[in-house]
Amino acid sequence: MSDVMHPQPFAVLLRWVLTELEQNQSIFGLHRTLFYTPEPASLTTTEVFAHPLATPIGPGAGPHTQLAQNIISAWLSGGRFIELKTVQIMDELEIPRPCIDMADEGYNVEWSQELKLDQSLDEYVKAWALIHILRRVLGFEGRVPFGTVFNMSVGYDLEGVQSPPMTRFMDRLQDASAEIEPLRAVLAEQFPQFADIEIPVRIVDNVTLSTMHGCPPDEIERIAVYLLEERGLHTVVKLNPTLLGKERVLSILHDHLGFTGIDIPDRVFDHDLQYGRAVSLIANLKEVAARQGLTFGVKLSNTLAMANHRGVLPGEEMYMSGRALYPVTINLFRKLVREFDGDLNVSYSAGADALNITAILACGAMTVTAVSDFLKPGGYSRMLQYLENMEADMRARGVTSLEELARERMANLERAATDSLVDPRYKKGYHPYGLPKVESGLDLFDCITAPCTAQCAVQQDVPEDAWLIAQGDVDRALEVSLARNPLPGVT
């Protein structure tokens, strides 16, 4: 395994997909039994930016959406709102290693794409084309609508966004004719069974603006106006959790949740967008979008900058994500929606998981994306539990659509924000035990072998054994047990 990403040619990826599926009934390591199968009359179907959306969930713009195979894996697992990794004019970054610390609440020091701009564009186009091909391979074509939306993410200042390389990047995602044509040639020559598949050349018509902590508010507004008026894109602006103010943020983290070790310097709050200015910015951009006949919304929320108190990651500052950020962001969600009397489009991403997904959607979130949660065991496949829980919860509530689920949006927001401050799941003490790690040092992998196997004296294959029992294959489970364990034969 390398810490440098190596994009693969389109033909290599497609052949990889077809071969692995035929030989192992899996794609990129995901077994077919873990693929999400859309249904024509699904409870999770909705609409965003005037496009049908089969599910309102997906991977956030982070490490999960840089390479085409990552995007495909997320789609296979049920992600239908795909936030593409944020790109910027500076595309030769030195990413410090390690860059992510997910021992409990998440921390990171990574913030932009690790690929060149042209490489990022190629990965997004290849993923777009492969999804259209996979719809035929998996039998979805003609049975259910496409139902997938790619969301472009750009940053971090006006000069960079308007630079020739960035405008060219956006041009090509809005009209990828020149990029898709060579892929069609590959299909015609090497995979003729897919040569007739229609691959739309417009990959995105929407964008999320991500700005650096401390970006001047006037500049944020100018970038968003440019994206709406000049680019004609449905636009979402990512906001920081610091909008709640230092006193409220630290009260939640320290007093309610018990994350007393966290230190957020004053400068983090002083340099970030202030609440009053954020309200006027949102109001102004809502009017601009309305004049253009476009959608405007906010993304809640960005990560939370703070002092590097753990010392695991390099540098003096790091950014918090994951479960500790959920109570902060859901309370910011409530405050902003109150401010606009419920008339505010919100894309949510902060500590989302399978156990709070229904509550977030009931608060009226357009879409919900996750990043930290997919870095835990199960990876992208954790989305399947999101969907299972959503459908079970909706049936239990007697609702038949996401719109009906969010009918009492304001009341649901009040409840979710209040509950988040007392729910044990978000408190620091919720995980009182040490991490289940193996004793041997591991460089680039952080648990290639399950700890229960490594700790066993005879290295019993517990996960495989448990999986087979769960599938009802007890004879095979016994074979797995006996394969490594001599004790039943000698006692």
Side-chain angles (χ1 to χ4, degrees):
M1 181 177 177
S2 170
D3 63 349
V4 177
M5 295 183 179
H6 297 283
Q8 301 299 309
F10 176 71
V12 170
L13 288 174
L14 181 50
R15 189 167 289 108
W16 180 355
V17 164
L18 298 175
T19 302
E20 185 182 343
L21 186 62
E22 180 181 2
Q23 295 180 353
N24 301 326
Q25 292 298 294
S26 64
I27 295 175
F28 301 139
L30 288 170
H31 195 268
R32 189 165 194 156
T33 55
L34 297 176
F35 295 174
Y36 166 71
T37 302
E39 297 297 335
S42 171
L43 296 178
T44 64
T45 299
T46 184
E47 186 178 276
V48 66
F49 308 130
H51 297 294
L53 191 63
T55 75
I57 65 172
H64 305 297
T65 54
Q66 295 204 75
L67 294 174
Q69 52 265 50
N70 297 132
I71 296 170
I72 294 300
S73 297
W75 184 84
L76 289 169
S77 301
R80 291 299 185 268
F81 187 74
I82 310 292
E83 291 183 356
L84 305 173
K85 176 66 172 175
T86 307
V87 298
Q88 58 150 333
I89 181 61
M90 294 169 53
D91 61 358
E92 293 189 38
L93 299 175
E94 287 291 331
I95 305 295
R97 307 292 185 191
C99 61
I100 299 174
D101 172 18
M102 278 299 302
D104 183 3
E105 71 277 12
Y107 298 102
N108 72 81
V109 292
E110 62 92 35
W111 50 281
S112 187
Q113 84 270 21
E114 298 181 50
L115 301 172
K116 301 282 289 180
L117 266 174
D118 285 347
Q119 289 179 313
S120 293
L121 186 283
D122 289 343
E123 292 304 294
Y124 303 159
V125 173
K126 285 186 289 189
W128 179 255
L130 286 167
I131 286 172
H132 284 81
I133 293 168
L134 278 168
R135 279 173 44 78
R136 174 172 296 181
V137 172
L138 299 176
F140 303 161
E141 186 183 44
R143 194 174 67 84
V144 291
F146 180 58
T148 302
V149 172
F150 275 21
N151 174 244
M152 176 170 56
S153 181
V154 301
Y156 288 93
D157 58 26
L158 182 61
E159 182 181 1
V161 171
Q162 291 183 327
S163 67
M166 281 293 291
T167 55
R168 180 170 177 267
F169 173 88
M170 290 186 282
D171 287 343
R172 294 163 73 193
L173 275 186
Q174 289 180 263
D175 182 357
S177 304
E179 286 69 36
I180 289 176
E181 195 57 39
L183 305 188
R184 293 189 188 281
V186 170
L187 294 178
E189 181 179 347
Q190 301 183 41
F191 307 94
Q193 69 271 37
F194 305 125
D196 64 321
I197 291 178
E198 182 181 353
I199 304 173
V201 297
R202 184 162 195 177
I203 296 177
V204 303
D205 62 0
N206 61 92
V207 63
T208 294
L209 170 62
S210 181
T211 56
M212 295 294 290
H213 297 272
C215 183
D218 290 349
E219 179 148 2
I220 296 173
E221 188 166 340
R222 283 195 296 269
I223 302 171
V225 169
Y226 165 73
L227 295 170
L228 286 162
E229 292 185 343
E230 302 297 324
R231 307 290 322 182
L233 295 165
H234 301 285
T235 300
V236 174
V237 173
K238 185 184 290 186
L239 299 178
N240 294 337
T242 50
L243 282 175
L244 273 182
K246 182 172 183 178
E247 183 178 346
R248 182 59 171 154
V249 169
L250 291 182
S251 171
I252 291 174
L253 292 173
H254 290 172
D255 302 334
H256 291 282
L257 306 183
F259 287 89
T260 54
I262 286 174
D263 174 37
I264 308 177
D266 288 342
R267 58 180 166 75
V268 170
F269 294 90
D270 294 341
H271 293 169
D272 269 359
L273 179 66
Q274 302 299 301
Y275 184 78
R277 182 64 180 92
V279 171
S280 64
L281 181 149
I282 292 169
N284 293 342
L285 293 174
K286 279 165 59 72
E287 291 181 3
V288 173
R291 290 197 300 268
Q292 300 296 317
L294 296 168
T295 301
F296 173 77
V298 295
K299 172 76 176 290
L300 300 178
S301 68
N302 205 347
T303 50
L304 179 59
M306 61 183 55
N308 187 350
H309 63 276
R310 281 177 50 79
V312 174
L313 303 176
E316 297 181 357
E317 187 174 80
M318 60 184 182
Y319 306 99
M320 187 184 76
S321 64
R323 71 185 184 99
L325 196 56
Y326 174 78
V328 175
T329 300
I330 201 73
N331 275 273
L332 176 59
F333 190 175
R334 173 175 63 177
K335 186 173 183 178
L336 283 171
V337 170
R338 272 181 181 170
E339 191 76 48
F340 288 91
D341 296 323
D343 183 22
L344 181 64
N345 295 316
V346 174
S347 178
Y348 189 92
S349 180
D353 61 25
L355 301 183
N356 59 28
I357 181 68
T358 309
I360 297 171
L361 289 167
C363 294
M366 295 190 301
T367 57
V368 180
T369 55
V371 176
S372 297
D373 195 47
F374 301 152
L375 293 170
K376 297 176 182 178
Y380 301 104
S381 295
R382 296 171 74 90
M383 271 187 278
L384 293 175
Q385 188 183 10
Y386 286 45
L387 296 168
E388 289 170 0
N389 287 1
M390 283 166 53
E391 293 190 358
D393 291 343
M394 290 173 70
R395 290 192 177 95
R397 298 185 189 199
V399 298
T400 58
S401 69
L402 293 173
E403 290 73 20
E404 190 178 353
L405 176 67
R407 186 170 47 195
E408 303 293 333
R409 176 184 191 179
M410 300 300 293
N412 295 337
L413 254 175
E414 293 290 335
R415 187 180 308 110
T418 301
D419 289 351
S420 72
L421 302 180
V422 297
D423 191 330
R425 282 208 317 125
Y426 305 112
K427 296 183 183 294
K428 181 62 178 175
Y430 189 65
H431 297 296
Y433 308 110
L435 294 173
K437 289 193 173 186
V438 297
E439 295 178 1
S440 59
L442 294 170
D443 262 345
L444 295 173
F445 289 97
D446 191 30
C447 255
I448 194 168
T449 301
C452 51
T453 299
Q455 287 297 105
C456 177
V458 294
Q459 296 194 336
Q460 184 77 48
D461 193 352
V462 179
E464 181 71 8
D465 195 5
W467 167 257
L468 289 166
I469 292 171
Q471 302 308 302
D473 193 349
V474 292
D475 292 336
R476 178 67 184 133
L478 179 60
E479 291 178 14
V480 169
S481 295
L482 296 176
R484 290 186 177 179
N485 192 343
L487 298 180
V490 297
T491 56

